[in-house]
Amino acid sequence: MNPVIVWVAVGVEFAGLVALAVVLIVARHKLKGTRRELERCRADKPRRRRSRGLAPVAVRTVWQTADSLINKGLGATVRNSIEDLAGWARVERPDLARLTADGHVVIVFSDIEGSTELNDALGDREWVKLLEQHNKLFYTHVDQHGGHVVKTQGDGFMIAFADSGQAVRCCIGVQQALGDDPERWDEIRVRMGVHTGTSVRRGDDLFGRNVAMAARVAGLACGGEILVSEPVHDAVDALAGIGFGPPREVELKGLQGTHTVYAVERH
């Protein structure tokens, strides 16, 4: 082999080794600097107890949603869900403990009327986009009125409030937004029910007769309607800007006797 070629090859390899050594030295230097910055930050900030945080909740939610999609398909996953929400209301944030500190809570259930048919008409992709807009609308109004979203499933919401007036005004705000620009919302019609009473909160669970009653009241509502139970009506009847239609005597599935409900009329 030509000696010149050999020396050129050796030179190239040596240059490569030098370059690699430089890269390693620089990387090691930067790593040390990063470690020093981290140690300084830890020293400057008090140690905080790690909260339950978003990650475990997100992982659990993704797992549950994936399981539902595998076993039921997308259409079934996003269908009417008032009954399901009432059955497994789990608390993911501490807000609900504050709202139910005295044992009483105002509960709102909602869903989209005819959601299965609308899902079929729009197709899964457009339906999911619509749900995302619908959910953002709810979260905005719930935050504005001091409420707490306990659970969502598909097009259904379960929401808790400490005050009946705030709960009803939140519902009115949502219905007003949907009614002001129906084309933007594909003319969806949301039905809502509100009830207040004591609830049982044990660990991370919220359950009891009044949760079931709120779900039943919502189930009687028509699209675009807000129905409230008699205790909610009595609590907000004197508030400005809120009116009611005539009382209705109804039977609620699973609950004995007849019950009085009222449809909210916006002034």
Side-chain angles (χ1 to χ4, degrees):
M1 182 180 292
N2 192 322
V4 175
I5 296 177
V6 173
W7 281 109
V8 169
V10 171
V12 170
E13 291 182 2
F14 180 77
L17 290 173
V18 171
L20 179 60
V22 171
V23 170
L24 291 174
I25 292 172
V26 172
R28 184 177 181 183
H29 178 73
K30 288 185 177 181
L31 179 59
K32 286 183 178 180
T34 302
R35 286 175 176 170
R36 286 196 298 269
E37 289 295 326
L38 287 173
E39 292 297 329
R40 183 159 55 248
C41 289
R42 289 172 180 170
D44 291 342
K45 294 183 179 180
R47 187 178 298 274
R48 296 181 179 178
R49 180 182 176 185
R50 188 172 69 88
S51 65
R52 293 173 62 191
L54 179 61
V57 176
V59 170
R60 181 164 59 254
T61 301
V62 170
W63 178 265
Q64 291 170 341
T65 303
D67 180 68
S68 177
L69 287 170
I70 291 170
N71 290 289
K72 301 178 183 178
L74 181 60
T77 302
V78 296
R79 287 175 185 164
N80 182 315
S81 37
I82 285 178
E83 296 291 335
D84 293 334
L85 285 169
W88 53 277
R90 291 186 56 80
V91 182
E92 300 292 4
R93 290 175 288 174
D95 299 354
L96 192 58
R98 170 180 56 82
L99 293 177
T100 61
D102 63 354
H104 284 76
V105 64
V106 186
I107 302 170
V108 175
F109 278 96
S110 76
D111 73 350
I112 298 174
E113 183 181 58
S115 58
T116 303
E117 292 79 6
L118 185 56
N119 180 11
D120 185 60
L122 293 175
D124 290 338
R125 186 183 298 274
E126 292 302 316
W127 172 242
V128 170
K129 288 182 181 179
L130 179 60
L131 280 186
E132 290 175 352
Q133 294 179 321
H134 163 271
N135 292 354
K136 288 179 182 178
L137 176 67
F138 265 85
Y139 276 106
T140 297
H141 283 275
V142 170
D143 289 342
Q144 288 176 354
H145 293 87
H148 170 80
V149 174
V150 179
K151 212 61 165 174
T152 65
Q153 182 178 346
D155 60 295
F157 269 80
M158 178 183 179
I159 311 165
F161 294 85
D163 178 76
S164 294
Q166 290 288 73
V168 174
R169 292 191 190 282
C170 176
C171 294
I172 292 174
V174 170
Q175 296 288 22
Q176 187 70 52
L178 294 173
D180 285 347
D181 191 2
E183 292 185 2
R184 174 188 176 188
W185 303 99
D186 286 290
E187 299 185 354
I188 61 173
R189 293 169 58 81
V190 172
R191 53 181 187 159
M192 310 178 83
V194 191
H195 176 59
T196 184
T198 58
S199 64
V200 178
R201 182 175 180 272
R202 183 174 301 157
D204 285 343
D205 292 332
L206 176 67
F207 59 95
R209 178 181 182 276
N210 288 307
V211 173
M213 185 166 180
R216 298 293 186 264
V217 171
L220 290 178
C222 299
E225 187 175 49
I226 305 166
L227 278 187
V228 306
S229 65
E230 191 167 27
V232 174
H233 167 270
D234 294 346
V236 305
D237 191 33
L239 296 181
I242 301 176
F244 296 94
R248 306 179 195 170
E249 294 297 318
V250 299
E251 293 184 356
L252 301 176
K253 180 182 177 181
L255 301 174
Q256 295 181 353
T258 60
H259 305 267
T260 306
V261 298
Y262 298 81
V264 175
E265 293 182 347
R266 290 159 278 170
H267 290 175

